[in-house]
Amino acid sequence: MSESTEKKMVRLRSSDGEVFEVEESVAKVAKTLQDMLEEDCADAVIPITCVRAPILTKVIDYCKDQVMISSSSSTTNNPNERTEQERKAWGQKFMEGVDSSTLCELLVASNFLNIEGLLNLGVDKMVSMIQGKYPQEIRDMFNVVNDFTPEEEEEIRNQNAWAFERDPYYKKRSSSK
Amino acid sequence: MASSIEDLPDEVKFDVLSLLSAKQLEAAACVSKSWNRLISEEPSAWRCLASRMAGLYHYGWSDESSYFTEIHGRKSLKHVDTKLGFLPESEFYCVYDTCNGLVLCIDDDGSGWKVSADQYPISYVVCNPATREFTVLPAIRRGDICYCTGLAYDPDRNPGEFKVVRFLFQDVNTLEMEVRVFSPRSKEWKSLRFGLPQLLLLAGRRPVYHKGVLHIPAMPHFMLKFDVEKEVLSLEDLPGEMIGGSLGLLGVTGGVLQYVNNYYVEQGILLVKWVLDEEVEEDKNRWIDADWSVITAEYCKILAIHPDVEVVFMRNRGKIFAYHLKNGREWELCEEKMGDFEVTCPYSPFFVPLGMRS
């Protein structure tokens, strides 16, 4: 079932000036771009001013995958269709090895481009990174400077004492390593 | 270029923090000053983001249990336990009221209304489905029949404290009404008595909390007000005409008190909405006729008013509809699962821990 008509292409420019050419259907996964394209207010090259090229590459990968899943969904027994479990596994794999700084950029990009699926993946990833961590571990991971004075920290520690206790479950898991 | 968590847009930060448990949220609050401010010092900012309504709690007398209708598929809602599964085991939890993210329910042992009054005590439970905290209130005798029970909680005015207010049946001879107030600080029910100028009927309406006052529409055509802080009970007129015995519904949209009523007209049903002008002195007519629209239906019952947008929720032909008062758009939410006389409470999650631990 190949289409005889040539697929319409869209060009996107990242904040650092790299131009990406993608199929229109891929760009339309991003609601922000879909709106622009439908209202015909997209120029020859759409500037994505807050997204750097490496991040945009990752975003486009995601959109391409979404198009692949949905393109043949009209036919029954779609080989690309995923079960809930497969979807989860795919999402985990997609986010594998993404560090905290890349993750923040991905979140900004998917929020700006309005790609809900990718935003959800990023949010879940960030939640899993924060989960079960001490405040100091969170600081290290996200490069946050501890700007409390020792007195303030002491007070906050007392206020939030239970935040400094590990879950029994977590204790078990880390000691078994 | 954003490469730090601090640079994320607020709505994204909110999505992340709203998925953390209360405990993880407290750990996050210790990370830095800005994180701390974000989580603990600006509950109003958080509420602003959180106050997008998530759904409706319904309660019907007919089968003595509650169910929840999701309105917006907010992703953060998946970590909100709207089914209240975190509460101690019980056969039924009936949701009586909601207020700024807290839920007031009654722990009913299933013997319900069928047993004699004094046989089983009942307990109210106040909980937060977003942080999964709860407090069980001291049990009360089933004998004291009350018109309705309201929950008052305002994180801006009084961050740590909620109040539960029960409005008991009025004495037909003296016209006196007993109001019982519970606050977690006093840990007990306090009884107050107020004289009223006439006999009222409050059946089937939930109290609406707004700026420190619980408001209840009352038959024949009044608004009963209980100032939770000053502990004063008063009556005020409702706007509009009282035709065919229909009493409208109170609600708060965008921080303004609203009253919506429906009238049967030739073309269908006329929906009228009034808003309360708080600039005007109290004894003057303070209601402004704000909006009206005619919907083509033979029957409808107004269930609730949306807290964020100009939408009312209605029941019609066994279904629950949302109706936009400004643009006339109407859409079906779900099939109705319950019979008549239900109380419907809009619920918006609030993710800041109250510090109530049970």
Side-chain angles (χ1 to χ4, degrees):
Chain A
M1 284 207 300
S2 61
E3 278 185 32
S4 52
T5 51
E6 206 175 305
K7 279 179 180 152
K8 204 177 160 195
M9 301 302 277
V10 175
R11 284 192 293 167
L12 309 171
R13 188 173 55 230
S14 67
S15 64
D16 43 359
E18 202 169 315
V19 175
F20 294 79
E21 197 173 54
V22 294
E23 284 171 24
E24 193 181 28
S25 57
V26 171
K28 277 187 170 177
V29 172
K31 285 219 180 72
T32 306
L33 296 177
Q34 185 187 3
D35 292 347
M36 285 168 87
L37 291 164
E38 271 166 15
E39 281 165 33
D40 235 18
C41 52
D43 291 330
V45 182
I46 305 174
I48 316 285
T49 47
C50 60
V51 184
R52 293 186 309 123
I55 305 298
L56 196 54
T57 311
K58 187 98 180 144
V59 170
I60 291 169
D61 281 350
Y62 176 85
C63 295
K64 277 183 180 158
D65 180 78
Q66 292 300 300
V67 171
M68 185 194 69
I69 306 171
S70 61
S71 64
S72 42
S73 63
S74 51
T75 58
T76 49
N77 246 341
N78 175 9
N80 295 326
E81 210 167 355
R82 297 187 185 127
T83 63
E84 180 70 16
Q85 247 180 348
E86 285 168 333
R87 222 168 42 77
K88 255 197 183 146
W90 184 89
Q92 255 170 20
K93 195 155 172 262
F94 186 79
M95 282 295 173
E96 215 174 60
V98 172
D99 60 33
S100 67
S101 142
T102 310
L103 179 60
C104 290
E105 284 187 80
L106 261 178
L107 281 168
V108 170
S110 50
N111 186 60
F112 170 75
L113 293 166
N114 198 356
I115 309 170
E116 206 186 334
L118 186 57
L119 189 64
N120 286 348
L121 277 182
V123 166
D124 285 348
K125 171 85 181 175
M126 187 165 276
V127 169
S128 73
M129 288 167 94
I130 295 176
Q131 235 152 21
K133 298 267 189 332
Y134 283 127
Q136 186 53 45
E137 292 169 315
I138 302 175
R139 279 180 212 126
D140 294 345
M141 186 180 320
F142 293 103
N143 293 319
V144 182
V145 179
N146 179 8
D147 52 3
F148 289 119
T149 63
E151 293 79 29
E152 284 169 338
E153 192 166 12
E154 182 61 34
E155 199 192 322
I156 283 195
R157 253 172 192 277
N158 291 335
Q159 273 173 14
N160 301 293
W162 69 340
F164 294 90
E165 298 156 15
R166 292 280 195 203
D167 290 332
Y169 166 72
Y170 188 88
K171 227 180 254 166
K172 242 183 269 162
R173 205 178 35 171
S174 51
S175 62
S176 68
K177 266 183 191 172
Chain B
M1 185 187 81
S3 56
S4 149
I5 195 164
E6 316 252 346
D7 302 325
L8 293 177
D10 274 354
E11 64 262 35
V12 177
K13 278 186 205 153
F14 172 73
D15 277 335
V16 171
L17 294 176
S18 69
L19 293 180
L20 298 176
S21 69
K23 183 173 171 174
Q24 290 158 350
L25 209 53
E26 290 202 15
C30 305
V31 165
S32 73
K33 279 182 183 169
S34 70
W35 283 46
N36 189 272
R37 216 169 10 247
L38 196 64
I39 293 161
S40 53
E41 284 176 22
E42 288 179 44
S44 59
W46 280 101
R47 200 183 51 184
C48 201
L49 289 162
S51 74
R52 284 174 281 176
M53 190 176 89
L56 298 164
Y57 275 108
H58 308 274
Y59 169 62
W61 310 127
S62 50
D63 68 354
E64 291 164 12
S65 62
S66 283
Y67 66 92
F68 183 74
T69 303
E70 198 174 315
I71 307 291
H72 300 304
R74 290 207 62 208
K75 50 188 164 295
S76 49
L77 199 60
K78 73 180 175 192
H79 286 252
V80 177
D81 190 356
T82 55
K83 289 203 169 67
L84 313 180
F86 56 94
L87 293 179
E89 226 169 284
S90 166
E91 228 172 308
F92 292 113
Y93 280 107
C94 302
V95 172
Y96 271 30
D97 199 10
T98 52
C99 188
N100 289 324
L102 296 191
V103 172
L104 170 71
C105 45
I106 195 155
D107 173 11
D108 203 306
D109 56 10
S111 42
W113 310 91
K114 293 159 206 119
V115 294
S116 74
D118 289 333
Q119 227 169 333
Y120 297 93
I122 44 174
S123 311
Y124 288 97
V125 179
V126 174
C127 63
N128 184 342
T131 60
R132 289 159 207 237
E133 298 167 293
F134 67 91
T135 296
V136 180
L137 274 51
I140 44 166
R141 285 186 314 130
R142 201 180 278 277
D144 315 320
I145 305 166
C146 70
Y147 282 117
C148 58
T149 310
L151 176 62
Y153 173 59
D154 189 336
D156 294 340
R157 280 167 180 264
N158 213 342
E161 198 166 302
F162 62 85
K163 274 183 181 161
V164 176
V165 184
R166 302 178 76 219
F167 297 87
L168 269 63
F169 267 46
Q170 216 174 337
D171 188 315
V172 269
N173 298 315
T174 62
L175 301 180
E176 218 176 38
M177 180 182 274
E178 189 182 343
V179 176
R180 294 203 184 144
V181 187
F182 175 86
S183 79
R185 196 172 298 163
S186 70
K187 293 193 176 64
E188 58 182 14
W189 291 93
K190 172 174 165 189
S191 172
L192 303 159
R193 282 172 190 279
F194 301 95
L196 284 169
Q198 73 169 92
L199 202 62
L200 304 169
L201 189 64
L202 281 73
R205 297 285 186 273
R206 76 177 187 102
V208 169
Y209 180 74
H210 178 56
K211 296 195 173 162
V213 179
L214 282 167
H215 303 74
I216 320 160
M219 295 269 206
H221 201 235
F222 293 103
M223 178 168 78
L224 188 69
K225 292 164 52 176
F226 180 68
D227 189 315
V228 178
E229 285 154 27
K230 297 192 194 111
E231 297 185 330
V232 178
L233 192 73
S234 59
L235 265 190
E236 194 173 312
D237 281 330
L238 279 174
E241 306 262 314
M242 178 67 192
I243 308 166
S246 87
L247 194 64
L249 202 90
L250 289 165
V252 175
T253 306
V256 180
L257 194 69
Q258 327 253 330
Y259 178 68
V260 180
N261 205 352
N262 56 331
Y263 303 101
Y264 294 89
V265 292
E266 216 171 287
Q267 299 91 331
I269 290 159
L270 174 67
L271 274 183
V272 190
K273 189 188 82 178
W274 289 268
V275 296
L276 192 72
D277 183 355
E278 273 154 7
E279 302 284 296
V280 182
E281 276 177 60
E282 251 192 54
D283 50 344
K284 304 264 168 53
N285 187 11
R286 304 193 292 154
W287 292 96
I288 302 161
D289 184 345
D291 241 313
W292 63 271
S293 48
V294 176
I295 49 170
T296 47
E298 283 148 27
Y299 164 82
C300 82
K301 186 189 173 191
I302 306 166
L303 297 174
I305 298 173
H306 200 296
D308 316 316
V309 289
E310 306 279 334
V311 163
V312 290
F313 298 100
M314 298 182 298
R315 177 208 299 150
N316 184 10
R317 274 177 265 121
K319 287 184 175 129
I320 296 172
F321 285 93
Y323 182 82
H324 200 291
L325 286 163
K326 290 272 187 249
N327 63 22
R329 206 162 76 84
E330 186 186 296
W331 63 101
E332 188 187 318
L333 291 173
C334 62
E335 298 271 333
E336 195 185 11
K337 297 189 193 89
M338 230 170 244
D340 215 343
F341 299 117
E342 76 199 46
V343 174
T344 299
C345 316
Y347 168 70
S348 314
F350 183 61
F351 294 93
V352 178
L354 242 188
M356 46 182 190
R357 309 206 176 116
S358 265

